[in-house]
Amino acid sequence: MPLPVEQVVVFRKGGKVLWSRGKAKDVVNSWIGSVLLEEKGGDLRATIESYTVEWRLANDVDSVLVLVYNKSMELDFGGELLERLRSAVRKQPRELDKSYDRIASDLEARPRRVAPAPAPARREEEEEGEGEEEDEEEAAAEVSVEEKLRRRGVGTKGGRRKKKEDEKPTKKQPKVWRDTIHKRTSAAQVAELDYSKKEEASDASMATTYLPADGERAAWEEDEEEKKSGSWLSSLMESAAGTATLTADRVEPIMAQLRERLVAKNVAAEIATEVCESVATTLAGKKLGRFERARGAVKDALAAAVERVLTPKRSTDVLREVLAAKERQKPYVIVFVGINGVGKSTTLSKVAYYLKSHGLDVGIAACDTFRSGAVEQLRSHAKCLGVDLFERGYLKDPAQVAKAAIDDAAKKKRDCVLVDTAGRMQNNDKLMRELAKLVTLNEPDLVLFVGEALVGNDGISQITLFNRALANFSPTKRQIDGLVLTKFDCIDDKVGAALSVTYATGQPIVFIGVGQKYTHLKKLSVTQVLNALFS
Amino acid sequence: MWWWGSLLLLLFVAVLVTAVAIFALRTPRRPAAVVLIGPCGAGKTLLFYRLTEDEHCDTVSSMQSNQGQVGDVALVDFPGHYRLRGGLKDELDRATKLVMLVDAAAMAAQAKPAAELLFQVLTAFQNAKRPPPVLLICNKTDKATAKTPQRVKLMLMNEIETLRKTAHALRSIDDDDDKQQPAQLGVEGRVFSFDQHSPCPITFLPISVKNDDLSPVRAFVQTGLVSTTPSS
Ligand SMILES: Nc1nc2c(ncn2[C@@H]2O[C@H](COP(=O)(O)OP(=O)(O)O)[C@@H](O)[C@H]2O)c(=O)[nH]1
Ligand SMILES: Nc1nc2c(ncn2[C@@H]2O[C@H](COP(=O)(O)OP(=O)(O)O)[C@@H](O)[C@H]2O)c(=O)[nH]1
Ligand SMILES: [Mg+2]
Ligand SMILES: [Mg+2]
């Protein structure tokens, strides 16, 4: 019986497919966009639409290995398959067809659902019987590096994010794919600890475990790197010779420092950890260029990754969208959501001012029917702006008020309707349900989440719970599709929230607020955020 | 101790030379190159491998650029994904010629991102002394739905006309942005036209990168001229 996989593909990071079996290119492409380019790569496994995607990177040969299979399958061998294939990519890149067939037939022969892992020692004996002994050993050694990075959480001090729920092995369906990794790690660990077994372990494995890789320097030297010019010079010589390779051990302390710096700039701790982990996986095994030093290379890679996360994945030109809607003769609807006091009504007024100043006919809908004074506040803004306000007083269903406002605007041939909503806490189910209803009923063109640039760790739970509530309570599963960060004028260089919110949602920051005046509305400058974070 | 002085001087010179050498070597200027740009899925990577290695390879979305040679000309395939747009400026700085691709069979989806990219490029070269020529490939003519170059040109022109009004309407707080106004593309109050207002000369070329002979593209990459000029 063939393996139940949709596609296995090996490709260069530049996009060239080196080898492939099966067909699921769209899944692979959307995985590249939503996981790799958003630095969510630390987990080695993701769900894309109705598929599970697992992957491994081979940074030394600039390649990526991806396995796609149906989500409903509980495959237990994904990691093993990819790791064995990875050794083949390194050794016999031209014979991948043969290698894959061999790996696949091994795996096919194995019973699909295996009981929990046998003892590590026994496991080793089993492996000796197999044909691909060497590859396996090598793969095992490598996993241990990757796992080491993951387990240590790239230097987090107790801030390690908890394992995702879906990764917990349940009793009924032992997810052996994870066990396999652990088994292998523990095999390597046992070898590391048990000196009496030294001779039994294969030479290759021993060498990878103990000997420094080409260009790798001992940890005691690493610590002194900053102070001692001697080691600085030697690392320079080494890099001049072009022999240096980044190993996980070398990346780790540097990354830990960079992570601290991100946290000091107000990036949420959890996000800083995830980004750093993901970048670390793209660095392990990579060769350094001439005159490139480990610290510089790690920092550059992280900065490039942060730049990718901050750079919008699509156009954020709202004015252009509204102009396009005007041509279609349908009012463009923007809903502003978020918790209390973050600046929703103020931002809405700024956007009204911005659009009006470009000759567009804007209407405002007062759908904060909850907080007393909200309608009056908006009325005075509307008056000040010279813009019409649609209101139905308090205690009305905001979804219906918004609908009436949009219908009214369509009748009056307005170009745009801005919908103000009541602030709500992300854990207030009743109010979140109400918001989901507003969004579902009115199908706005843009749902903007407004948050303060001052938020730290709590900002992430706000935004993810808003998204989850919208997904849970609305049948259309419509979510937030843009972000606003207000009070950017109050944070100096602590710009970390920009990274936290874009990473947590994958959505772009459409506007930032830099003061209380209507003109204090801007686009986010990615360059400026990068400078604040890294210089 | 007469030799102290000269030893110090020698040491000083040695340090200076090393410092300069390290500085020069650590920040290498990117060498000049012909740069391939365009939205995701336009066919850049396929074109890149056909030109550099004469190979028809299968592709997925590019995560980083590809570098190669066509004869003695360096060629760079710059990925189209929005999130990688931050690297564009460096590539434009070294571009001697630009080859831009669009999927002419998917203009409904490609017109906007392609126009944004082209707008960004043309704005960047607005005040340049020697703006690079652009070959605009309307790719995938093998598909029945492929639009004609005239049609592609019109669609891009319309989108650029909108972008002229909107793209700089909200100024970002870029440090260098605040001091100098971004260059304005085209002439205030006049409708944008490639032929009259583009700082870079643009030639439109309909072709199937998958099936066709690439000699017009090769000629452009090497000489900057296109033998057949079906530009309208
Ligand atoms: N400094 C500064 N204050 C802001 C900004 N945006 C909003 N505010 C202030 O934040 C407070 C709350 O704003 P409001 O719009 O009523 O918040 P809402 O409850 O989310 O609607 C007001 O005093 C605003 O003036 C900003 O970008 N910078
Ligand atoms: N039918 C057709 N498909 C093409 C042509 N050129 C490229 N493609 C396909 O378009 C897809 C995207 O190509 P790729 O080079 O990866 O685009 P890139 O994102 O611009 O690098 C691939 O599946 C190519 O095989 C063409 O001329 N005709
Ligand atoms: Mg309010
Ligand atoms: Mg590509």
Side-chain angles (χ1 to χ4, degrees):
Chain A
M1 189 171 89
L3 294 179
V5 302
E6 302 294 323
Q7 185 167 26
V8 188
V9 54
V10 181
F11 57 89
R12 290 244 180 85
K13 289 180 186 170
K16 179 183 183 177
V17 173
L18 300 173
W19 174 87
S20 155
R21 265 298 160 83
K23 274 199 163 66
K25 206 159 107 179
D26 292 345
V27 182
V28 175
N29 279 340
S30 70
W31 168 76
I32 291 172
S34 63
V35 176
L36 271 201
L37 289 178
E38 291 186 7
E39 291 310 322
K40 307 252 162 70
D43 269 344
L44 306 178
R45 189 178 210 243
T47 306
I48 302 285
E49 294 143 32
S50 57
Y51 298 95
T52 299
V53 179
E54 289 191 55
W55 64 92
R56 290 293 184 276
L57 306 183
N59 299 314
D60 48 346
V61 284
D62 226 18
S63 301
V64 182
L65 296 89
V66 178
L67 169 67
V68 181
Y69 53 87
N70 206 301
K71 193 162 78 176
S72 58
M73 293 281 172
E74 296 273 342
L75 293 198
D76 50 11
F77 53 75
E80 183 179 356
L81 185 153
L82 289 169
E83 270 143 29
R84 288 176 63 178
L85 194 61
R86 178 165 65 180
S87 340
V89 168
R90 286 175 176 146
K91 283 190 190 143
Q92 299 135 336
R94 292 181 192 290
E95 314 239 325
L96 286 177
D97 253 330
K98 251 198 250 160
S99 304
Y100 177 77
D101 288 337
R102 197 164 54 220
I103 298 169
S105 69
D106 274 6
L107 294 173
E108 277 157 27
R110 213 174 284 176
R112 277 287 141 73
R113 297 216 184 285
V114 201
R122 209 179 122 43
R123 171 78 197 162
E124 264 182 315
E125 277 167 27
E126 275 175 14
E127 272 183 15
E128 268 168 43
E130 285 176 30
E132 293 226 333
E133 191 184 332
E134 221 181 305
D135 284 358
E136 301 254 324
E137 289 290 347
E138 206 172 277
E142 251 170 61
V143 175
S144 78
V145 171
E146 255 158 27
E147 271 292 294
K148 249 196 295 195
L149 261 173
R150 288 158 54 73
R151 263 180 301 148
R152 290 189 210 160
V154 201
T156 359
K157 292 179 185 117
R160 178 81 179 107
R161 133 194 71 112
K162 42 191 172 347
K163 284 259 159 355
K164 301 232 169 77
E165 270 170 51
D166 59 358
E167 287 185 6
K168 266 187 216 144
T170 56
K171 258 185 200 144
K172 236 165 103 192
Q173 299 168 318
K175 288 199 182 161
V176 193
W177 67 272
R178 233 183 134 65
D179 287 351
T180 326
I181 289 173
H182 286 145
K183 209 163 26 189
R184 291 176 171 282
T185 323
S186 50
Q189 280 170 337
V190 168
E192 220 170 307
L193 296 172
D194 191 351
Y195 286 90
S196 66
K197 277 203 155 190
K198 220 183 206 166
E199 278 138 311
E200 283 169 43
S202 85
D203 289 349
S205 153
M206 291 296 294
T208 17
T209 313
Y210 293 112
L211 291 176
D214 279 0
E216 186 184 4
R217 284 181 309 128
W220 57 86
E221 280 178 41
E222 198 73 49
D223 288 340
E224 302 288 291
E225 190 175 36
E226 301 256 79
K227 294 157 234 158
K228 271 172 70 181
S229 65
S231 82
W232 181 80
L233 207 67
S234 76
S235 95
L236 194 71
M237 302 286 275
E238 188 184 64
S239 62
T243 54
T245 304
L246 276 177
T247 59
D249 286 335
R250 201 163 173 186
V251 170
E252 196 197 305
I254 304 173
M255 198 58 104
Q257 277 179 17
L258 289 169
R259 181 190 167 277
E260 291 306 314
R261 182 194 302 201
L262 290 182
V263 172
K265 296 278 164 133
N266 197 30
V267 176
E270 175 191 355
I271 303 287
T273 304
E274 273 187 52
V275 175
C276 288
E277 266 178 31
S278 172
V279 176
T281 63
T282 68
L283 286 171
K286 197 177 157 132
K287 291 217 163 46
L288 287 174
R290 265 162 200 269
F291 289 100
E292 199 178 12
R293 295 180 59 221
R295 175 171 301 278
V298 175
K299 189 177 157 188
D300 289 352
L302 184 63
V306 170
E307 179 173 24
R308 282 197 295 275
V309 174
L310 287 169
T311 306
K313 62 182 171 188
R314 57 180 164 79
S315 158
T316 57
D317 189 343
V318 172
L319 181 55
R320 180 182 178 205
E321 298 296 322
V322 178
L323 285 173
K326 186 186 168 93
E327 251 162 55
R328 279 181 266 123
Q329 303 195 326
K330 192 173 163 283
Y332 189 85
V333 180
I334 308 179
V335 176
F336 294 78
V337 307
I339 67 166
N340 260 322
V342 289
K344 290 180 299 300
S345 309
T346 310
T347 305
L348 177 144
S349 311
K350 290 174 181 176
V351 174
Y353 177 87
Y354 167 58
L355 295 177
K356 184 164 185 267
S357 68
H358 284 87
L360 291 162
D361 185 356
V362 184
I364 297 178
C367 299
D368 182 350
T369 58
F370 188 71
R371 192 176 59 95
S372 68
V375 176
E376 287 75 9
Q377 183 201 10
L378 218 51
R379 195 180 296 145
S380 54
H381 274 306
K383 213 166 172 186
C384 212
L385 290 160
V387 162
D388 279 350
L389 178 75
F390 187 96
E391 53 156 303
R392 283 284 182 270
Y394 293 97
L395 300 174
K396 291 270 165 41
D397 177 3
Q400 297 300 343
V401 179
K403 186 158 179 18
I406 295 165
D407 290 346
D408 178 61
K411 220 177 291 159
K412 293 181 178 153
K413 299 211 182 328
R414 289 197 203 291
D415 305 318
C416 181
V417 182
L418 306 177
V419 181
D420 188 38
T421 66
R424 61 203 78 213
M425 291 308 286
Q426 65 272 20
N427 51 13
N428 183 331
D429 269 8
K430 181 177 164 285
L431 288 180
M432 290 310 295
R433 233 178 259 276
E434 198 184 270
L435 183 63
K437 185 180 168 197
L438 188 153
V439 168
T440 313
L441 182 69
N442 294 295
E443 295 180 334
D445 297 277
L446 193 60
V447 179
L448 283 181
F449 179 88
V450 184
E452 291 176 335
L454 307 149
V455 292
N457 293 328
D458 49 331
I460 305 314
S461 83
Q462 274 176 26
I463 213 164
T464 42
L465 287 177
F466 253 83
N467 247 343
R468 194 172 306 160
L470 285 179
N472 287 346
F473 298 144
S474 97
T476 51
K477 302 234 181 296
R478 176 63 186 278
Q479 299 196 317
I480 293 162
D481 35 29
L483 309 167
V484 180
L485 276 186
T486 59
K487 311 187 186 178
F488 234 80
D489 49 320
C490 309
I491 53 165
D492 292 324
D493 66 341
K494 301 238 181 324
V495 293
L499 176 62
S500 305
V501 295
T502 44
Y503 186 86
T505 57
Q507 297 296 347
I509 295 176
V510 178
F511 300 112
I512 63 173
V514 292
Q516 308 206 4
K517 297 215 173 98
Y518 293 147
T519 48
H520 287 158
L521 187 70
K522 285 192 167 183
K523 261 194 298 192
L524 179 82
S525 157
V526 175
T527 334
Q528 210 204 23
V529 174
L530 285 174
N531 285 343
L533 288 177
F534 291 102
S535 60
Chain B
M1 292 292 178
W2 59 270
W3 46 270
W4 264 112
S6 49
L7 192 71
L8 265 175
L9 192 74
L10 208 72
L11 213 70
F12 179 73
V13 169
V15 167
L16 203 75
V17 167
T18 336
V20 167
I22 289 172
F23 185 77
L25 283 163
R26 280 191 63 157
T27 52
R29 256 191 72 83
R30 287 157 186 260
V34 176
V35 181
L36 297 179
I37 55 171
C40 265
K44 299 178 293 297
T45 306
L46 179 62
L47 176 63
F48 175 87
Y49 279 104
R50 278 204 66 190
L51 288 175
T52 54
E53 290 172 22
D54 199 16
E55 186 186 345
H56 273 91
C57 67
D58 195 11
T59 61
V60 295
S61 289
S62 309
M63 288 177 253
Q64 52 180 230
S65 41
N66 294 300
Q67 328 249 347
Q69 295 285 133
V70 183
D72 50 6
V73 179
L75 186 68
V76 175
D77 163 25
F78 180 74
H81 203 281
Y82 266 100
R83 289 204 186 269
L84 301 166
R85 201 50 57 84
L88 181 66
K89 197 180 166 303
D90 282 346
E91 297 301 346
L92 293 185
D93 281 349
R94 65 150 146 180
T96 54
K97 303 173 196 92
L98 290 167
V99 178
M100 174 156 169
L101 286 92
V102 292
D103 181 345
M107 281 311 280
Q110 296 236 318
K112 278 193 177 199
E116 266 164 58
L117 183 63
L118 191 56
F119 178 82
Q120 214 176 337
V121 170
L122 297 184
T123 307
F125 289 114
Q126 181 64 27
N127 296 321
K129 275 194 215 94
R130 295 178 59 198
V134 177
L135 177 66
L136 209 150
I137 294 181
C138 306
N139 190 21
K140 313 202 184 179
T141 51
D142 55 295
K143 292 193 180 176
T145 51
K147 296 263 187 295
T148 62
Q150 289 76 13
R151 185 88 199 122
V152 170
K153 189 174 179 178
L154 195 68
M155 290 175 90
L156 292 178
M157 213 141 79
N158 285 340
E159 289 294 338
I160 285 184
E161 187 55 30
T162 312
L163 286 169
R164 285 179 68 215
K165 294 190 203 104
T166 67
H168 298 300
L170 251 198
R171 304 278 301 288
S172 72
I173 41 178
D174 249 321
D175 343 19
D176 47 10
D177 233 41
D178 257 357
K179 284 170 209 122
Q180 62 197 61
Q181 283 282 116
Q184 285 293 316
L185 192 60
V187 177
E188 185 85 46
R190 304 253 318 265
V191 174
F192 179 80
S193 129
F194 283 122
D195 303 321
Q196 289 171 40
H197 303 129
S198 168
C200 311
I202 306 181
T203 313
F204 286 76
L205 177 73
I207 206 169
S208 163
V209 167
K210 193 167 108 187
N211 299 336
D212 291 352
D213 170 49
L214 294 180
S215 47
V217 183
R218 223 173 262 281
F220 176 83
V221 167
Q222 275 163 345
T223 66
L225 300 169
V226 190
S227 40
T228 52
T229 41
S231 169
S232 53

